[in-house]
Amino acid sequence: MSSQVEQIKEKLGIVDVVSQYLKLEKAGSNFRARCPFHNEKTPSFFVSPTRNSYYCFGCNAKGDIFSFVEAFEGLDFKGALKVLGEKAGVQIVFENKKEKDEKSQLYSVMEAATMFFEESLGKKKDIQEYLKERGLNEKTITDWRVGYAPESWSDLYDHLKKTYSVQEIEKVGLIKKKEGGAEYYDRFRGRIMFPIFDNSGRVVAFSGRIFKDDEKSPNDKLTGQAPKYINSPETVLFSKSKILYGYDRAKFSIRKLNFSIIVEGQMDLLASHQSGFTNTVALSGTALTAEHIGLLKRLSENVVLAFDSDRAGVASSGKSAISGLAHGMDVKVAHLKEGSDPADVLKKDKEEWKKAIRD
């Protein structure tokens, strides 16, 4: 692994990396910027090309390209290694299988589940047609690794337990134990599956949209129907308050365009990216948190909320706007026609969406 680290350092300088996240200005032989790790008005964050390091005189943050990406992206070392390896064109290979710690094994479980769901979708023409009717093209479906969880009680579990332990599969939230018994069943059944990625692009959770009620899942107490979406529970890999769907792909566009667009759901997010609005992220069934705002504010203080125009969406916009303003963000709210959501608007008229975001 050390040789791979050295290869990355040879190909990527500190200025190459930091300038993709922060706006740097020349300061003698160095560069400076406002520190991303604490609030400040006067730049005290300095980047030294000769030393290939950074230092903040305000909060004493310091390090190299790896520690910067770890801190900025909220990653562990292996996550930062993956991000920088991709930037440098260096293939990351774990030479010794013993180097795979528990977390690496759990990431492997999630990757195997993603591949299983993708293969399952490939066999379901009706669901492929549904996704296309909703406005998604084949490239978007493939790029975002959309899949399908079969209606069977244990297809995924039976597939994964050939390679992984029950404890590992349960630890990432893919299976549940039957009440009063020792048997397990799949958490997601009969659902379109959207993998949720961490900041370095690793699958850490899933959001499953119901395609057809299997009449076996617990029903919502208010509607009497199975919930429209089911999300992975909190796990050692996934904390919903800290992850925004699509952030791993949107972060550089947000920095470049100097604003982010926040939508509510996966379909809205995919439709927005497909139409060229690659600075879009999604909340995926959770409220906008201080951690979410922190991720976005590092890249830009400007945000546009583009939620559904129904009563729940308007209420959510209000709460999110208050939260954003309280944390020093410049918040705008896109006005959509009553009863419509971003995916519907983009399918019918891309110009209407562009106007809503612009105005």
Side-chain angles (χ1 to χ4, degrees):
M1 188 184 293
S2 60
S3 63
Q4 294 163 2
V5 170
E6 292 307 315
Q7 286 178 51
I8 291 171
K9 284 188 172 182
E10 285 173 10
K11 294 188 176 186
L12 292 176
I14 189 71
V15 175
D16 299 324
V17 174
V18 176
S19 62
Q20 292 184 33
Y21 296 88
L22 305 176
K23 185 177 181 181
L24 298 176
E25 58 183 46
K26 204 80 169 71
S29 60
N30 299 318
F31 293 84
R32 67 182 177 187
R34 284 194 295 174
C35 181
F37 307 124
H38 79 286
N39 290 324
E40 63 176 12
K41 293 183 179 179
T42 304
S44 61
F45 182 88
F46 283 79
V47 177
S48 170
T50 54
R51 295 177 181 172
N52 218 17
S53 64
Y54 64 89
Y55 182 78
C56 177
F57 289 91
C59 68
N60 299 320
K62 60 182 179 180
D64 60 7
I65 56 174
F66 288 93
S67 60
F68 179 83
V69 171
E70 281 182 62
F72 194 99
E73 301 264 21
L75 300 171
D76 57 14
F77 176 74
K78 288 184 179 178
L81 188 68
K82 183 178 184 294
V83 168
L84 290 169
E86 289 175 356
K87 293 182 190 297
V90 174
Q91 187 175 6
I92 305 302
V93 179
F94 294 100
E95 296 165 0
N96 186 345
K97 288 185 178 179
K98 289 182 181 178
E99 288 183 11
K100 279 198 168 185
D101 56 13
E102 181 192 12
K103 262 194 172 182
S104 296
Q105 187 73 349
L106 297 181
Y107 285 122
S108 181
V109 176
M110 297 301 280
E111 177 62 23
T114 304
M115 292 173 67
F116 175 84
F117 292 141
E118 287 177 300
E119 290 172 9
S120 297
L121 177 61
K123 301 171 186 175
K124 299 289 290 185
K125 296 295 182 185
D126 54 341
I127 299 174
Q128 294 173 40
E129 287 303 314
Y130 167 78
L131 291 171
K132 288 173 184 175
E133 285 171 12
R134 289 295 308 272
L136 301 184
N137 61 36
E138 195 170 324
K139 185 177 186 304
T140 295
I141 294 167
T142 302
D143 286 351
W144 289 85
R145 307 191 68 184
V146 180
Y148 175 70
E151 294 179 46
S152 164
W153 279 96
S154 61
D155 275 9
L156 176 65
Y157 177 46
D158 293 339
H159 173 74
L160 293 177
K161 70 181 181 182
K162 298 172 187 174
T163 309
Y164 304 99
S165 70
V166 176
Q167 291 76 16
E168 289 168 337
I169 303 169
E170 185 179 24
K171 205 161 191 176
V172 291
L174 292 173
I175 57 175
K176 298 174 74 173
K177 184 179 281 190
K178 290 184 179 178
E179 289 185 21
E183 295 182 13
Y184 289 86
Y185 62 92
D186 292 343
R187 180 182 295 274
F188 300 100
R189 302 184 307 282
R191 291 178 178 272
I192 299 169
M193 299 300 290
F194 299 92
I196 297 173
F197 308 93
D198 68 8
N199 295 349
S200 64
R202 296 174 294 191
V203 179
V204 293
F206 291 98
S207 183
R209 187 193 191 283
I210 197 165
F211 182 67
K212 183 172 65 176
D213 193 344
D214 62 6
E215 298 181 351
K216 300 170 186 173
S217 303
N219 289 339
D220 184 281
K221 291 179 181 178
L222 293 176
T223 65
Q225 300 174 331
K228 186 176 180 180
Y229 280 93
I230 291 178
N231 297 322
S232 291
E234 298 271 317
T235 69
V236 294
L237 301 182
F238 175 60
S239 174
K240 64 183 179 182
S241 66
K242 296 178 181 178
I243 289 182
L244 286 163
Y245 181 57
Y247 181 82
D248 60 307
R249 306 188 189 203
K251 55 194 174 188
F252 295 114
S253 290
I254 293 171
R255 182 73 193 88
K256 181 180 178 181
L257 299 171
N258 195 27
F259 79 100
S260 58
I261 302 169
I262 303 179
V263 295
E264 289 184 283
Q266 286 84 7
M267 293 294 288
D268 297 331
L269 182 285
L270 298 189
S272 191
H273 273 254
Q274 181 176 284
S275 297
F277 298 86
T278 54
N279 56 330
T280 307
V281 296
L283 293 177
S284 299
T286 185
L288 185 67
T289 67
E291 289 91 343
H292 293 152
I293 294 168
L295 285 172
L296 296 172
K297 194 174 181 181
R298 289 174 181 174
L299 303 173
S300 172
E301 294 183 349
N302 305 308
V303 60
V304 175
L305 303 176
F307 294 172
D308 296 358
S309 59
D310 57 16
R311 185 176 297 177
V314 172
S316 185
S317 290
K319 290 178 183 177
S320 296
I322 290 169
S323 184
L325 292 168
H327 287 85
M329 299 288 278
D330 182 357
V331 183
K332 293 182 173 64
V333 178
H335 175 69
L336 304 180
K337 290 180 180 177
E338 188 175 351
S340 61
D341 60 38
D344 292 334
V345 173
L346 280 159
K347 183 184 176 184
K348 293 174 185 174
D349 188 354
K350 183 178 173 181
E351 289 304 312
E352 183 184 332
W353 174 253
K354 188 182 291 185
K355 184 176 185 300
I357 298 300
R358 186 181 64 241
D359 296 343

